[in-house]
Amino acid sequence: FKTKAAAAQPLTNADELIDSVETFIFDCDGVIWKGDKLIDGVPQTLDMLRSRGKRLVFVTNNSTKSRKQYGKKFETLGLDVSEEEIFASSFAAAAYLKSVDFPKDKKVYVVGEDGILKELELAGFQYLGGPEDGGKKIELKPGFLMEHDKDIGAVVVGFDRYFNYYKVQYGTLCIRENPGCLFIATNRDAVTHLTDAQEWAGGGSMVGAFVGSTQREPLVVGKPSTFMMDYVANKFGILKSQICMVGDRLDTDILFGQNGGCKTLLVLSGVTSLSMLQSPSNSIQPDFYTNKISDFLSLKAA
Ligand code: PLP
Ligand code: CA
């Protein structure tokens, strides 16, 4: 028996919400930007929150860039955000391996893009795979046996536009033939918005290939898992009840906030519409919803 979550309330008094927390965690795509375009009013909203002493943290499930590369993206968009405030799922994969003392003499097999490689390198881990394996083909001659590096102790899977059968087979061998091999997913987003013309298969599609072949479930380090929330809370010494998670997606962002025991605000500037939020088939209800974060500048108590 599950009690139905209380329906989300439209945000009417932003000041009250702002005063009730010390930290805002912002999802990126759909909240701060859409693709490469800044969403209206974001710089002024972030400035206002900083001037009121709020800590700002930015979390993205998009593993294709490292936090340094995201730092450049924020700068290009004219936003004053430091690398230390950015937590991408690429960074989370490296941080997770550090947290479990993954041995430096072992290697990580990467199914993903440059962001994951950069973060692993920065953390001092050895890796194989990545975009480099994107051009590899398997020639199935009779008796052909694919070898794999026995020093691989973890397979990290994220969004990968160079995904192919070679990588699935290689990573599957690592996981299946070494019961101690970690299987880590940066995120499991079903779809993503590479262009605004349609939905594109997301990181969940690459992860799903490995779930199918290994019959194992991955450890997810991105949203909605609690790893990044715990990491951020520990890093800055903040109570999760003092955090408001702001996102555009129910099954990643809002669930991430709820799993952490934070306040949650859904913005309708990304992938979720009001009718999706209010659909009887949706069971994830944030505390509040509003159109976009710059509503913070205009929504005052009546
Ligand atoms: N994964 C990929 C490949 C993406 O392109 C995006 C958004 O553009 C996401 C995940 C979701 O990112 P975010 O968590 O910032 O909404
Ligand atoms: Ca988003």
Side-chain angles (χ1 to χ4, degrees), residues 61-64 89 109-113 116 130-131 134 155-172 175 183-194 199-220:
N61 262 2
N62 188 338
S63 62
T64 61
S89 60
Y109 185 66
V110 179
V111 179
E113 300 194 11
I116 300 173
V155 174
V156 173
V157 185
F159 181 72
D160 186 359
R161 282 166 289 185
Y162 311 92
F163 192 68
N164 60 16
Y165 186 70
Y166 177 94
K167 296 184 185 186
V168 183
Q169 174 63 4
Y170 196 100
T172 299
I175 296 169
F183 173 22
I184 297 166
T186 57
N187 66 305
R188 296 186 83 165
D189 295 35
V191 292
T192 180
H193 293 78
L194 300 179
E199 291 187 327
W200 298 80
S205 57
M206 290 87 199
V207 176
F210 286 91
V211 173
S213 61
T214 63
Q215 300 290 292
R216 267 177 59 180
E217 285 298 311
L219 195 136
V220 180

Side-chain angles (χ1 to χ4, degrees), residues 27-31 223 248-249 253:
D27 161 47
C28 294
D29 199 79
V31 177
K223 300 171 287 185
D248 69 319
R249 198 166 169 138
D253 305 320

Side-chain angles (χ1 to χ4, degrees), residues 100-168:
V100 296
D101 287 327
F102 184 75
K104 295 278 162 83
D105 57 349
K106 290 267 184 193
K107 296 174 193 162
V108 181
Y109 185 66
V110 179
V111 179
E113 300 194 11
D114 194 41
I116 300 173
L117 304 187
K118 289 247 165 32
E119 292 295 357
L120 289 176
E121 202 167 307
L122 207 61
F125 293 118
Q126 301 182 58
Y127 60 81
L128 293 171
E132 189 181 299
D133 280 358
K136 293 188 179 166
K137 288 204 171 79
I138 297 174
E139 242 187 272
L140 291 176
K141 294 187 210 114
F144 175 73
L145 179 81
M146 185 191 249
E147 299 284 356
H148 70 285
D149 189 326
K150 304 293 184 295
D151 288 337
I152 290 170
V155 174
V156 173
V157 185
F159 181 72
D160 186 359
R161 282 166 289 185
Y162 311 92
F163 192 68
N164 60 16
Y165 186 70
Y166 177 94
K167 296 184 185 186
V168 183

Side-chain angles (χ1 to χ4, degrees), residues 24-28 32-33 42 46 50 56-60 74 79-82 85-88 228 232 293:
F24 280 89
I25 300 184
F26 290 107
D27 161 47
C28 294
I32 303 297
W33 57 65
V42 165
L46 301 186
R50 284 200 201 276
L56 308 184
V57 173
F58 301 85
V59 172
T60 177
F74 276 98
L79 298 172
D80 188 15
V81 170
S82 82
E85 295 171 312
I86 304 166
F87 296 84
M228 271 211 278
V232 168
I293 62 167

